[in-house]
Amino acid sequence: MGDMDDAMTAEAPIERRMDRDREIILARGDFTRLFAVFEDHVRTWGLHLDPLGLVMMRQALGGVALYLSSRPRNESCAFTLNFEKPATNIFVSGRSEEGTVTGRIFTENVATTGESRLFVQTSRAGGRDFTSVIDVTGLDVLLILEDYCARSEQAPARFFEIGDDDYLMVASLPREDRDWLSRLERDEALKLFEEARPLDHKAFRFHCGCDPLRMQDVIKRMFGDRLDEVFGAEASVEVTCPRCGRRWTLRRDQVDGEDGS
């Protein structure tokens, strides 16, 4: 288990800088190790991931991690992208305080509504939950995140791929010139980051947090006393985490609560 334990703790370092003249926060992350853990996770659990899906998941994990790096510490977010063509769901969630992101892609039996949409659920400890829904176009997840920040957060941000595993976010503060930000190009953004004043360092890792007890709770919430629909005549079944795709074997007596182990 040593190699797997080491991999599961691999983090993406994120450096944040501030440009006071421009009123912007810049966050840059090296996601080499985080992406490697995600791809190991996909292979371990036999999840389907084609080349397009891999690109979109890397953009989603990297973009959401950068987004969360500048959010309040007690905030968690869940992003669900429902694409009309190809019929695909991308789910990514994360917690700013824990520095974690997780996610998976669905390409089979995906229900669509005639439009591609992004659903975002935001929670804060001790506060209200918020849900945002926006129509989206195209398949570039970073551009979709930009659209969300501009339309729902009212706090524009730009996302750039500097390299395969190197992502940069430029987020505006309240007094920033939004027209200037909308015209910002990749090379200029990189130059601004290199010249900006260091602010702090953060780190994110690919981690879901699912375990047998949580999966039991999921089954209980979904099926209640209709466990025959899950187990039939079997004493145990294999279930899949809806957040990350990991498989767990559950016994019926555990879900029924007959066995406290």
Side-chain angles (χ1 to χ4, degrees), residues 120-168:
V120 182
Q121 294 179 304
T122 302
S123 302
R124 292 182 185 172
R128 288 173 34 192
D129 295 347
F130 298 90
T131 300
S132 298
V133 182
I134 64 170
D135 293 339
V136 301
T137 58
L139 299 176
D140 189 317
V141 178
L142 296 182
L143 290 180
I144 290 170
L145 289 176
E146 290 183 1
D147 196 22
Y148 167 72
C149 290
R151 294 166 60 184
S152 293
E153 293 288 327
Q154 299 300 310
R158 300 291 310 281
F159 295 85
F160 301 93
E161 288 185 68
I162 306 303
D164 287 343
D165 304 321
D166 185 356
Y167 286 58
L168 173 64

Side-chain angles (χ1 to χ4, degrees), residues 6-24:
D6 290 343
M8 291 305 292
T9 60
E11 296 180 332
I14 294 176
E15 180 180 1
R16 298 200 311 153
R17 299 185 178 190
M18 175 178 284
D19 184 326
R20 292 192 179 277
D21 293 332
R22 283 290 187 184
E23 290 286 331
I24 53 176

Side-chain angles (χ1 to χ4, degrees), residues 226-246:
R226 298 177 289 109
L227 293 182
D228 285 343
E229 296 179 23
V230 181
F231 290 90
E234 302 296 326
S236 63
V237 295
E238 186 176 79
V239 298
T240 301
C241 174
R243 291 160 47 90
C244 75
R246 179 170 181 167

Side-chain angles (χ1 to χ4, degrees), residues 82-89 110-115 117:
N82 177 240
F83 290 104
E84 176 71 14
K85 291 182 181 179
T88 302
N89 273 350
V110 175
T112 58
T113 62
E115 301 287 344
R117 290 193 172 95

Side-chain angles (χ1 to χ4, degrees), residues 27-211:
R28 184 177 182 181
D30 178 356
F31 293 94
T32 304
R33 289 178 292 177
L34 187 150
F35 290 160
V37 171
F38 166 68
E39 292 175 36
D40 283 346
H41 184 87
V42 168
R43 287 189 290 269
T44 298
W45 302 108
L47 305 174
H48 175 71
L49 190 64
D50 61 22
L52 175 60
L54 176 59
V55 170
M56 291 195 294
M57 281 302 303
R58 288 164 68 100
Q59 288 186 332
L61 290 167
V64 169
L66 289 177
Y67 171 81
L68 286 169
S69 74
S70 290
R71 300 298 299 169
R73 289 184 59 83
N74 63 347
E75 187 168 286
S76 62
C77 296
F79 293 76
T80 302
L81 267 166
N82 177 240
F83 290 104
E84 176 71 14
K85 291 182 181 179
T88 302
N89 273 350
I90 287 179
F91 171 81
V92 171
S93 68
R95 296 177 179 272
S96 57
E97 188 167 12
E98 296 177 2
T100 59
V101 288
T102 191
R104 63 182 298 193
I105 186 169
F106 302 84
T107 57
E108 298 178 358
N109 303 316
V110 175
T112 58
T113 62
E115 301 287 344
S116 295
R117 290 193 172 95
L118 170 65
F119 302 82
V120 182
Q121 294 179 304
T122 302
S123 302
R124 292 182 185 172
R128 288 173 34 192
D129 295 347
F130 298 90
T131 300
S132 298
V133 182
I134 64 170
D135 293 339
V136 301
T137 58
L139 299 176
D140 189 317
V141 178
L142 296 182
L143 290 180
I144 290 170
L145 289 176
E146 290 183 1
D147 196 22
Y148 167 72
C149 290
R151 294 166 60 184
S152 293
E153 293 288 327
Q154 299 300 310
R158 300 291 310 281
F159 295 85
F160 301 93
E161 288 185 68
I162 306 303
D164 287 343
D165 304 321
D166 185 356
Y167 286 58
L168 173 64
M169 178 186 74
V170 182
S172 70
L173 295 173
R175 294 190 297 275
E176 175 48 39
D177 181 345
R178 297 188 177 192
D179 289 337
W180 169 85
L181 186 62
S182 69
R183 299 190 301 271
L184 184 65
E185 298 289 341
R186 171 187 174 277
D187 289 347
E188 183 182 0
L190 181 57
K191 185 174 185 292
L192 286 170
F193 176 83
E194 293 170 345
E195 296 175 348
R197 179 176 64 85
L199 185 60
D200 58 25
H201 291 81
K202 299 190 176 185
F204 276 76
R205 60 194 174 103
F206 182 86
H207 176 71
C208 176
C210 58
D211 59 29

Side-chain angles (χ1 to χ4, degrees), residues 240-253:
T240 301
C241 174
R243 291 160 47 90
C244 75
R246 179 170 181 167
R247 295 193 296 273
W248 297 94
T249 298
L250 299 183
R251 300 199 318 265
R252 180 163 185 156
D253 61 355

